[in-house]
Amino acid sequence: MDNKYILTVSNVNKAFPGVKALDDVSIQVKQGEVHGIVGENGAGKSTLMKILSGVYAKDSGTIIFDGESIEKSTPFDSLRRGISIIYQEFNLVETMSVGENIFMGRFKEMSGMRGTHKRAAKLIEDIGSRINSHTLVKNLSTAEKQMVEIAKALSFNSKLIIMDEPSSSLTNDDLKQLFQIVKLLVSQGISVIYISHKLDEVFELCDTVTIMCDGRVIDSKPASELTRAEMIMKMVGRAIENEFPERPRCVGAPLLHVAGLNTRKLHDVSFTLNKGEILGLVGLVGAGRTEIARSLFGADKVRSAEFVLEGERISIKKPHDAIQHGIGFVPEDRKQQGLILPFSVETNISIACLKNLCRGLFRFVSQSKERECSKREIENLRIKTSSADTRVVTLSGGNQQKIIIGRWLEMHPMILILDEPTRGIDIGAKYEIYMLMKKIVEAGGSIILISSEFPEVLNLSNRVLTICDGKVTGEFDPEVASGNEIMDKVMG
Amino acid sequence: MTVVKHIVSMNDGRLERKARYFLLNHMLVVLLLLLVIVTAVVEPNSLSIGNITSILRRFGAPAFIALGLTFAIITGFIDLSIPGIVNFSAVLAIYLINPLGQVGALVVVLIFGLAAGMINGLLIIKSGGTTQAEGLFITFGMSQVWSAAAMLLSQGKTQQLRWCDRSYSLFTFLGSYKIGFVPIAMVVFVMVLILLNLLQKRTFAGRCMCLVGGNKTVARLSGIHVDRTILSAFMICGLMTVIGAVMLVGRVTTASPTVGSGFDTNAILAVVVGGTSLAGGKGNVFGTMLGVFLVILLANSMNLLGVSTHMQNVMNGAVLLLAIWADGRKTSQLK
Amino acid sequence: GGNKEAAGSQGTGKPLRAVWCSAMNNESQPFAYKMFKKYMAQYNIEISVLDDQGDAAKQAANVAQAVAANYQWIIVNPTDAAGIVTAFKAAKEARPNIIISTYSSDVPDDAERYRDFFVGMDDATAGAVAANAFIEKFPNGGNIVEIGGQAGHNAQILRHDGFISVMKDHPEFKILDIQNTEHWATDEAQSIMEDFITKYGKKIDAVFVHWDNGATGVISAVQAAGLNGIVIVGVDGCKAGFDQVREGTQYATIMNNFETQSIASLELVSKLLAGEKVASNNYAEMDIVTLANINEFTTPEW
Amino acid sequence: MRIEANPSMVQEKVIDSGKFLYEHKAIAGIVFLYALAFLYNLNGNSGFFSSYSQTLILIKATVNIIVACGVTFAVMTRSIDLSIGGVLALSGVLVIKFMNIMPVWLAILLTVLIGVIVGFINGFLIVHQNLEGFIVTLGMGILLKGVALQLTDAHPISARLSFNELADGRQLVFGLARIPNMVIIMLVIVVISSLILRYTQFGRNVYAIGGNYSVAKYSGIPVVRQKWICFGISAGLTAIAGIVNSSHLGAGNANYGDMTAMIVNCAVVVGGTSMAGGIGGVWQSAIGVLFFAVMEFSLNIMVRNSYVIMLIQGMVIVLILFGDSFGNKKRRERV
Ligand SMILES: Nc1ncnc2c1ncn2[C@@H]1O[C@H](COP(=O)(O)OP(=O)(O)OP(=O)(O)O)[C@@H](O)[C@H]1O
Ligand SMILES: Nc1ncnc2c1ncn2[C@@H]1O[C@H](COP(=O)(O)OP(=O)(O)OP(=O)(O)O)[C@@H](O)[C@H]1O
Ligand SMILES: [Mg+2]
Ligand SMILES: [Mg+2]
């Protein structure tokens, strides 16, 4: 069984206009193993997976799955063959029930609505979940949606399940359950391809790891033969001694007081942010961290709140007010809230500072200035794009995130709120983003950092607030406090 | 040898692609030229100054309306209230000439245009409607409301400028007079076109409309005044529609309370044929002008060619579908 | 005097409930309705309106609704002459003694049994009168263009057919071109005329345009082109037509006298109620208004 | 991981019951109108509650309900079908023309077939060529009306009187009431298409495509074919509606259906089928159309001035859709 390869990919190439996404890629996946794939943003991981699942066609090369050569394939063919994929973005129809999502397009095979729900309920139970199959997907939490995706993959009796960054929106608890399920799958002889930027997970879960860089496979080895440092070096092509930069220490005088912030979800949230400080917010999914960030930025309706910036009461009713006061915000959902996907890199970078690029009574946008500013950020943040006119929809996740950050850097914000800034972003780019954060605070700005990755918050923040159920439950100095202490408060 | 062959074939492909790309890209211009040439061959009079003047004069009303609509569409909406606004403002203009004088009447209807646009915008903003679909039927309802108002005001009667003691020179000046062979309406239109093109392509406000049309959430989170932008787009649309109505009244010197019907369809077709995407976020003011030209020239040519009214509908539909198809091909090639 | 007696013949009791079914966005209709209202009190009739906005299906539904609402007299100006017949048939089946009359334009000949009487101008005659006006004006013949009303509208069809039926016997006249409009819209008429001028230039001697407000557009086009002496004949006899005839820009208008027609309708109903027989087709006088006789008519207010 | 029963769920129940009214606004509207008519009926004798009137309302709504059933399929896939006006006119004309040269059943079959083909052409342009449904169907509508005009030379064409029986003949249903055939046809179509949409593979796929196109595609649903068929159904059912319409009126005319496109699409949305796709159904659409019919019928009784009726209708459309988007917004905020 050990020697049997369920999937053999050899010399696959794929080019998009302007980028060579896959360059002679070869990978072999054994039956019943968890095969990790790591690599920087834009390394080509998702592209490879989309070729396997039939979304894209390969330009050349061969793919042999389960002894069968795959030439042309559609997503449905792949599913029928036994390749399921859980995409980076959720792929469920929000307006339909769980059961129907699982058996989408196979209503007849399931002999109607009743059969569908019966089978779905069984599948869900098998993976140890208790979701009602009649629930509409839009009423599910992130983790539950993931469960539904997995159930859907299982429903095809898949031999290979591809998970493209499944953990990027899960909390630790949910992650544990996911791991259990993956192990369950593997024990049944199903192979799993697991893509993640969280190296800990990869080490914990994967038997074999393939490292990709710039569309090429750099190495493919059993996980046990790899060290973390080695892996990182291969991924980014250089050694990174520390995953986190040295904690910036330039905390100054109080800058912003938030007092009595109440919304539908938040109860009397009060805190202070100092100059040059990185303030971390930790909490479980749904604790209300995003809500705090959005309220502060004026993006949501606030019942009552008092914001005092540098001793002066300010009123923030809409994002525009916040921006006027030098607050920037990187939202967690970059596709829906962060970027205008069909627009160019340049347009996306210049949105927030557009006013400053205008001149004259009629506010003509200076195109040279706009070009300058986008060039500057592209170089500064090393955004991988063929030109400033490329449409951002074609960029990889990490590069997309950098564009959003670049947008705010152009504004020289006093306070930058980062909501999950490194979700789905590779180690190299993460480090760059950390360095950026450091630079911002060193230049006198302040940062509010929201992240579901505890190490990240604890290693970067000067101070940490724990949020639970819309309330601030504690305040810690991460250098002093122990992880358990903090976790206690996070749980409420 | 094989290498050379390969290069040659690649070049061939590229040339062919280029040619096809060019054709698709300039389909509208090609269509227009074709139309002009065919008509000129069959009916040489079509190139006479008289015909050109008459086309240019006819151009005024639909052109202004389509121009305004372009902005609503860029911002991600479709304004279906156009017929109602035209109906009401045309009737209102003539009604007001006696009590207010021509300048007064003109000013009031222009203000009405802004107000009608603002009402559309406010209804959409206040209801939180962010999608095209939500705006579509609200503006359709408003069209009914304004049409009914026009009916109530006129009691169904066609209003005549001549009933206003012949003091209608300002309106006829705008709608019928010409400098050389160029009608005033055309001169005004070109000026407005240039201004609005600048507004759309070069200014902050124009960019805001594109951004809002692209993604409202992102625009809002980036500090763009989304509401204000939507409002201004609809106000531009309302104002332009009323200017169109004034040009129409000036040209034909009458205003019936149903005069506006069909203007919405023609305007939407002209805008889309001109290369502005209904999805929002992308617009082409000059394209709209060409689109209107296509719609008008089509009617003119077919009248000259002696195509019956009935067949004209068929031809209109077919040519417009062709133009839309070509535009669609173009964008899908760019993807 | 006679009017009062008619009312008296109905007794002083409840007034007759009548309903007016037509397209109130067609400009002649609100005026015609107003004429009815003006005289109905004298006949002890009360009248209300059901508007179909130019939609044939709606008009059929309105007639049915009128039956449901127990109206005793339904006056219909057919939006679509062929499409209203089944509604009449159903109405007569549901309430045999309901009075149905058509006004202004009539249903097809074979459907006349489904309505009690028709009062109005025969649109075909209007076309024919227009043709005769040209024949009289140009003894040696000439070139004519025709600009029709809304394509498919009953009045457009009949006016055209009537016009052609006379003209086809007069080879000295040449019909250069014919185009219809989409909405009885003045600007459409103007555009069509402009194109005709481009195409035929000075060849055009005369224009037959189906409605006076359309003639306004034709006149604008003719004046803009600087042409003189084109003879324009319109139909309707509305205020615009009168004005144009008076100022000499329009040669003649064929008058549809709603006042006399409404009185005629009311008289006919009174007779029916009194148990008398009435004629099925009651064509109104077709007045042709030219500069010569214009002072014999009062200018209508629509 | 699991949702435990928590206070917020209880709260949500309360919200749910408030949501009921909003989700069933068309039914609520109909109930309101009946209540109003009941009050009104106390004062005057309008015959509103007679079985004759009630049947009349159904007859009035029938043609548009059949159209709406079809359009629902198009709207469910997140599109719109504005060609239905043209299809309605053309099919009404065609069936009468065909009847003169072939047996009735064949004429009907052929007409429906032509409708379906038109739908497939729409679908081809929209799905295969990736064009905007709005604009393609708009252009197609113009084209088809032109064809109808050309075929009839703009004359209405009368059908044999026997053809009228198809729609207006009455059947005794369950020994209770004599119901016109057209109403029965309508009910059958509503029931069948609603069953198809609700309980078949095809129907569920339509929901999936409307809910999320790419998910449906990646789940192996033949999205292209499916969408194609939806447009086929839309135009096919509209062709049936056109036949019923012509049979009911006893004539065919290119002008029939001029108002249908906007009104029916609007009614579908008012009924609760979302233009954002994936939500709604045939029943909802039918109720939406019925609401408009009841409104028109009762306004005809209650309001004397026809222009005021028009005004009220416009305002009701605006108000309902304003409320609709407002509700959407509130719901978005709640999530
Ligand atoms: N549809 C597309 N059109 C053009 N370029 C594309 C397209 N999809 C991906 N690319 C490019 O291909 C490269 C590989 O992208 P891919 O999404 O596979 O990266 P990834 O390894 O999954 O990155 P991430 O970790 O950020 O998800 C990137 O440079 C990206 O810009
Ligand atoms: N599992 C869930 N079930 C129901 N509602 C949820 C769930 N998760 C989040 N929410 C909703 O999300 C809102 C607050 O979550 P918010 O995104 O502010 O929290 P967060 O701590 O920022 O979470 P995240 O880690 O996703 O950023 C609440 O209104 C809550 O109702
Ligand atoms: Mg990826
Ligand atoms: Mg969050």
Side-chain angles (χ1 to χ4, degrees), chain D residues 11-57:
Chain D
Q11 195 188 337
E12 225 145 74
K13 277 255 164 62
V14 179
I15 295 167
D16 272 353
S17 53
K19 228 166 57 185
F20 182 84
L21 195 76
Y22 151 77
E23 271 175 10
H24 300 85
K25 53 195 171 298
I27 295 182
I30 291 174
V31 171
F32 172 76
L33 285 171
Y34 269 86
L36 212 62
F38 181 70
L39 291 179
Y40 182 88
N41 209 31
L42 295 181
N43 309 329
N45 170 24
S46 60
F48 184 88
F49 287 100
S50 67
S51 65
Y52 188 86
S53 295
Q54 294 307 304
T55 322
L56 215 59
I57 292 178

Side-chain angles (χ1 to χ4, degrees), chain A residues 70-178:
Chain A
I70 302 179
E71 268 317 308
K72 263 197 180 146
S73 176
T74 66
F76 196 56
D77 291 343
S78 303
L79 283 172
R80 293 282 171 177
R81 280 203 184 91
I83 304 177
S84 294
I85 182 162
I86 298 171
Y87 292 100
Q88 208 163 344
E89 318 83 33
F90 280 114
N91 270 282
L92 298 170
V93 178
E94 302 257 322
T95 49
M96 296 178 85
S97 71
V98 169
E100 282 198 84
N101 265 287
I102 292 176
F103 289 107
M104 180 161 298
R106 291 176 290 162
F107 191 75
K108 202 150 95 201
E109 284 167 49
M110 295 305 116
S111 55
M113 201 67 104
R114 202 166 294 156
T116 301
H117 283 298
K118 214 160 102 190
R119 289 279 295 275
K122 172 130 197 336
L123 267 175
I124 293 167
E125 205 185 303
D126 283 350
I127 55 171
S129 181
R130 272 212 265 157
I131 309 167
N132 183 337
S133 78
H134 291 276
T135 319
L136 291 192
V137 167
K138 66 177 172 202
N139 297 329
L140 297 183
S141 70
T142 319
E144 286 169 328
K145 285 181 190 169
Q146 192 113 48
M147 289 295 141
V148 177
E149 290 256 29
I150 291 172
K152 185 174 173 183
L154 288 176
S155 75
F156 280 94
N157 294 321
S158 302
K159 298 177 191 120
L160 173 67
I161 297 180
I162 300 166
M163 300 188 181
D164 196 349
E165 298 187 39
S167 59
S168 54
S169 46
L170 295 184
T171 56
N172 281 350
D173 264 0
D174 299 336
L175 194 61
K176 274 192 198 120
Q177 190 165 355
L178 177 69

